[in-house]
């Protein structure tokens, strides 16, 4: 089939300049997926442990929070911190999208600043939340 020269070609991904707004868009989808899958699995596991009785729930808490020496388990800590950041990043991006839905923030500088702000705020809030959790635990 012959191409109509009067019609523009669709731009290919390689011509776009990568920016924070693109990263945040991709992260919004990725964090939503992580929350749905990882958070769902953790939630069902927690409910099962809760339904299994006191010993089952205590075992779940021990596995997720600390080892026998009282130190934080590395893998569960990474998962929980990752889920915390995912939640906060997804929330910040959602708030950004609500503001964009009002028609504000579409100017290039404002759009990029808003995208960077979601990354900074979600990271700072994750650090604050986990600093509070770890300080309270010790």
């Amino acid at each position: 089939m012959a191409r109509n020269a009067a019609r523009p070609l669709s731009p290919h991904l390689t011509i776009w300049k990568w920016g924070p707004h693109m990263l945040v868009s991709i992260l919004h989808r990725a964090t939503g997926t992580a929350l749905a899958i990882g958070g769902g699995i953790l939630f069902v596991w927690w409910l099962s442990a809760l339904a299994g009785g006191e010993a089952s729930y205590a075992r779940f808490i021990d596995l997720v929070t600390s080892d026998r020496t009282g130190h934080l388990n590395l893998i569960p800590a990474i998962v929980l911190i990752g889920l915390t950041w995912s939640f906060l990043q997804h929330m910040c991006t959602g708030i950004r999208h609500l503001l964009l839905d009002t028609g504000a923030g579409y100017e290039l500088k404002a759009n990029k600043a808003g995208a960077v702000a979601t990354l900074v705020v979600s990271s700072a809030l994750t650090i604050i939340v986990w600093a509070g959790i770890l300080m309270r635990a010790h």
Side-chain angles (χ1 to χ4, degrees):
M1 176 178 226
R3 184 179 81 79
N4 182 350
R7 295 185 67 194
L9 287 174
S10 178
H12 192 268
L13 289 175
T14 58
I15 71 162
W16 295 106
K17 184 179 175 192
W18 186 260
H21 50 292
M22 296 170 97
L23 172 65
V24 167
S25 177
I26 292 167
L27 281 176
H28 188 71
R29 290 163 177 82
T31 56
T33 302
L35 289 169
I37 294 171
I41 289 170
L42 189 63
F43 181 64
V44 169
W45 184 19
W46 174 76
L47 282 177
S48 299
L50 195 60
E54 192 174 325
S56 176
Y57 186 71
R59 176 77 174 132
F60 169 80
I61 294 299
D62 284 344
L63 285 171
V64 172
T65 56
S66 60
D67 61 14
R68 297 197 191 287
T69 63
H71 294 94
L72 196 63
N73 282 331
L74 184 61
I75 293 174
I78 290 170
V79 170
L80 292 173
I81 291 168
L83 284 173
T84 304
W85 178 80
S86 292
F87 171 75
L88 293 168
Q89 176 62 35
H90 198 76
M91 181 186 69
C92 289
T93 307
I95 292 169
R96 177 177 171 261
H97 277 281
L98 283 174
L99 294 173
L100 289 172
D101 287 344
T102 68
Y106 278 103
E107 301 79 23
L108 189 56
K109 276 187 172 182
N111 197 322
K112 286 183 179 181
V116 170
T118 65
L119 295 166
V120 171
V121 169
S122 65
S123 298
L125 287 174
T126 301
I127 291 168
I128 290 167
V129 166
W130 277 93
I133 289 171
L134 294 174
M135 279 194 230
R136 186 173 163 212
H138 292 287

